[in-house]
Amino acid sequence: MLSLSSFARRCALSSQTAACLRAASSDVSGLKARLSEIIPAQQQEVKAFRKEFGGTKIGDVTVEMAYGGMRGIKGMVCETSVLDADEGIRFRGYSIPECQDLLPRAAGMESEGEPLPEGLFWLLMTGEVPTTEQVRALSQEWASRASVPPHVVSLVTNLPSTLHPMSQFSAAIAALQSESRFAQAYGEGVHKSTYWEHCYEDAMDLIAKLPTVASLIYKVIYKDGDVTPIDSNLDWSANFANMLGFRDSEFHELMRLYLTIHSDHEGGNVSAHTCHLVGSALSDPYLSFSAAMCGLAGPLHGLANQEVLVWITEMQSKLGSSPSDADVAQYVKDTLASGRVVPGYGHAVLRKTDPRYTCQREFALKHLPDDPLFDLVSKVYQVVPPILTDLGKVKNPWPNVDAHSGCLLQHYGLKEMQYYTVLFGVSRALGVLSSLVWDRALGLPIERPKSMSTIGLKKLVNAKNN
Ligand code: CMX
């Protein structure tokens, strides 16, 4: 076991400094003020819409949908992004290439860099493309809120290193709940019309603290346990990369892209839906996000990025570093014959190659075209879709986001596959916490869909058919 490190003492000190800083200069970025302007109009619009069209039918529910994971049921609202089956994700109406084009970039990378996740967060929250100044201020505001209380450091340093990083991540976020301003305000009996403001403060604090928590987990499990302090002159991604111990500016660019594209995938995916569901009970953002991370840790969702790398490196050790197409095809068929899925392929909504895969492939073509693992990932991209199509049951044989991310991380030396889903989780906070703020702003109620037993469904079907 590691004892409480110098990092913990540093955190305790910086916790006080950060609290003073915040009190003196909250809303450094002006994002909260902008939201205060936008929210009343949106509240009125939704109220009027519900009043006029609340009784209008927007879909039908079949028995198959009830058993089939509610696929395709239009039954919830998410303002931040919409997923089109063929085109992929649009963040507040903007595709990934449009975001790469329009969102501000890091200082020194203005002409050809990747978008800053800070800009995407502003877009998700407001629907507006921020200015470079607004994004720079947001980086500073997050740096000022990044401190982690000593008990969370102590918790992480005392967890067994065999405990999966995602379990550690979720536990640490739940322990951070001591900082919740929403929970405190609720306990003091604040009016419900102000809930969104306290939720916003928690969302900002939590997003700011996640890189520190995530790096601490990485450093304690895999390295010496010591985390580089936050640099208030750097952006969120560069700080995160530095804290993990990666100083290569190309890796910082990868992190900016990675943390942008994994952020949001509309409201029905497991992590987003979990955050929304738990938050609907007025559990605070820390508890809601901790629960969301338990969902992301599932192998059919975020853990697929770990599964892909495990699967591909097993393929390499079995077939050598440059196998033939036929050998890869046989390996894929063996995977299927053993009753497992091909990780990184398929999707519940998408029916084409995921644009999050495509932009990572473009990054690889630009920065690491000769990487042997990238070569193998490209070969898998050629071989897998026809095999899945031939099964006749897979609705989408194309790769998703998780099929590519690990090979990029490996290239820059982040080799610990079990850690990959934590990176996904840090990014996912941007989307699900923006949505949570809007849930509270729109006063969405506790979620409670109707479930049916098979006996009840059979009676309903008979009644409808007679
Ligand atoms: N390999 C093998 N079989 C697959 C498959 C794959 N990649 N994708 C789907 N199938 C199978 C399903 O298991 C299902 O089989 P059964 O009827 O025998 O149960 C059948 O094809 C139909 O499934 P579907 O309607 O096409 O897919 P779902 O909406 O049910 O599931 C998903 C979607 C992502 C869970 C599934 O494609 C899958 O398991 N993929 C591999 C895991 C993965 O990459 N997950 C990450 C998704 C992105 C993310 O959330 O991060």
Side-chain angles (χ1 to χ4, degrees), residues 71 300-301 304 336 341-342 344-348 393 395 400 402:
R71 209 70 88 250
L300 296 187
H301 189 20
L336 293 169
V341 295
V342 177
Y345 281 74
H347 200 273
K393 64 173 182 178
K395 296 195 187 65
N400 59 57
D402 301 312

Side-chain angles (χ1 to χ4, degrees), residues 16 48 63 98 115 128 136 147 153 170 173 176 184 186 255 277 324 343 396 399 418 429 437:
Q16 291 158 8
V63 170
E98 286 166 352
E128 299 167 349
R136 298 275 181 273
S147 60
V153 180
S170 184
I173 294 159
L176 264 179
Q184 189 186 348
Y186 189 86
M255 277 294 98
L277 169 66
S324 68
N396 175 32
Q418 284 210 335
V437 172

Side-chain angles (χ1 to χ4, degrees), residues 236-314:
W236 190 63
S237 314
N239 260 317
F240 186 19
N242 279 347
M243 286 191 289
L244 288 169
F246 294 86
R247 297 184 181 276
D248 180 347
S249 58
E250 214 169 271
F251 182 77
H252 291 189
E253 278 294 278
L254 174 64
M255 277 294 98
R256 290 171 187 129
L257 178 67
Y258 188 108
L259 296 172
T260 296
I261 63 172
H262 285 80
S263 58
D264 208 27
H265 224 219
E266 71 171 35
N269 67 77
V270 170
S271 51
H273 192 185
T274 304
C275 188
H276 168 78
L277 169 66
V278 175
S280 83
L282 296 186
S283 305
D284 62 63
Y286 293 88
L287 298 178
S288 307
F289 186 65
S290 172
M293 290 303 94
C294 291
L296 193 75
L300 296 187
H301 189 20
L303 200 82
N305 61 8
Q306 168 188 319
E307 298 284 291
V308 167
L309 251 285
V310 171
W311 183 75
I312 283 205
T313 46
E314 274 173 18

Side-chain angles (χ1 to χ4, degrees), residues 313-327:
T313 46
E314 274 173 18
M315 184 194 304
Q316 275 182 320
S317 63
K318 204 171 163 193
L319 306 177
S321 58
S322 192
S324 68
D325 283 12
D327 284 346

